[in-house]
């Protein structure tokens, strides 16, 4: 299965069987910042943004003072799972990023999608990739 198929069929799918309810954007990137696959609306990340995300996984709380930046958009860092999941909030939407052994799985959402629904979609695929040694 191609990486793009994971994005299209597992990240950008209807949430909980509700037609039309889906993430606004998603992507799978390598730890080096290389894009493996992404949805059309996923922002172009800057090298410093990737470095900040990786630093927060290594040193939880690193992004809290400055915020999480994705494609220049600032998200307030909210409670995640130290070393495993980073969550951000921006207006009525937000972001979830989960680290696997080789990749970072990103999901961005806007209302009516809830933070919990975004977390579920991203973490389900990331946990599968972790189980597969990815």
């Amino acid at each position: 299965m191609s990486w793009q198929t994971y994005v299209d069929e597992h990240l950008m799918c209807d949430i909980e069987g509700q037609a039309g309810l889906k993430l606004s954007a998603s992507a799978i990137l390598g730890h080096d910042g290389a894009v493996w696959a992404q949805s059309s609306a996923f922002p172009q990340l800057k090298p410093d943004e990737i470095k900040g995300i990786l630093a927060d996984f290594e040193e939880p709380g690193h992004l809290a003072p400055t915020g999480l930046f994705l494609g220049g958009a600032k998200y307030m860092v909210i409670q995640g799972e130290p070393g495993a999941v980073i969550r951000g909030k921006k207006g009525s939407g937000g972001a979830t990023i989960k680290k696997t052994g080789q990749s970072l799985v990103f999901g961005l959402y806007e209302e009516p999608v809830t933070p919990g629904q975004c977390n579920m979609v991203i973490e389900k695929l990331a946990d599968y990739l972790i189980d597969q040694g990815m």
Side-chain angles (χ1 to χ4, degrees):
M1 184 181 303
S2 78
W3 290 110
Q4 192 62 48
T5 303
Y6 283 110
V7 169
D8 295 342
E9 295 182 7
H10 297 279
L11 299 179
M12 297 304 295
C13 60
D14 289 339
I15 298 172
E16 298 173 346
Q18 299 180 45
L21 186 65
K22 53 182 72 183
L23 300 179
S24 54
S26 63
I28 303 171
L29 279 67
H31 288 180
D32 60 358
V35 176
W36 293 4
Q38 66 183 23
S39 65
S40 60
F42 192 77
Q44 178 71 44
L45 300 184
K46 299 173 183 155
D48 286 351
E49 295 172 342
I50 301 279
K51 285 180 193 167
I53 291 165
L54 290 171
D56 197 82
F57 280 121
E58 295 301 317
E59 183 186 322
H62 172 81
L63 290 174
T66 58
L68 166 66
F69 285 85
L70 300 174
K74 183 177 181 177
Y75 292 75
M76 180 178 65
V77 178
I78 57 177
Q79 181 181 2
E81 295 170 35
V85 180
I86 298 171
R87 296 188 179 102
K89 184 82 174 132
K90 178 178 175 267
S92 63
T96 301
I97 308 164
K98 179 150 182 163
K99 183 181 181 188
T100 73
Q102 299 176 27
S103 68
L104 301 171
V105 182
F106 290 78
L108 306 180
Y109 67 92
E110 292 293 336
E111 284 184 341
V113 175
T114 67
Q117 289 169 322
C118 181
N119 296 342
M120 180 191 67
V121 170
I122 296 306
E123 293 180 40
K124 182 177 178 183
L125 178 62
D127 288 343
Y128 170 78
L129 295 176
I130 290 166
D131 289 346
Q132 299 303 307
M134 306 294 268

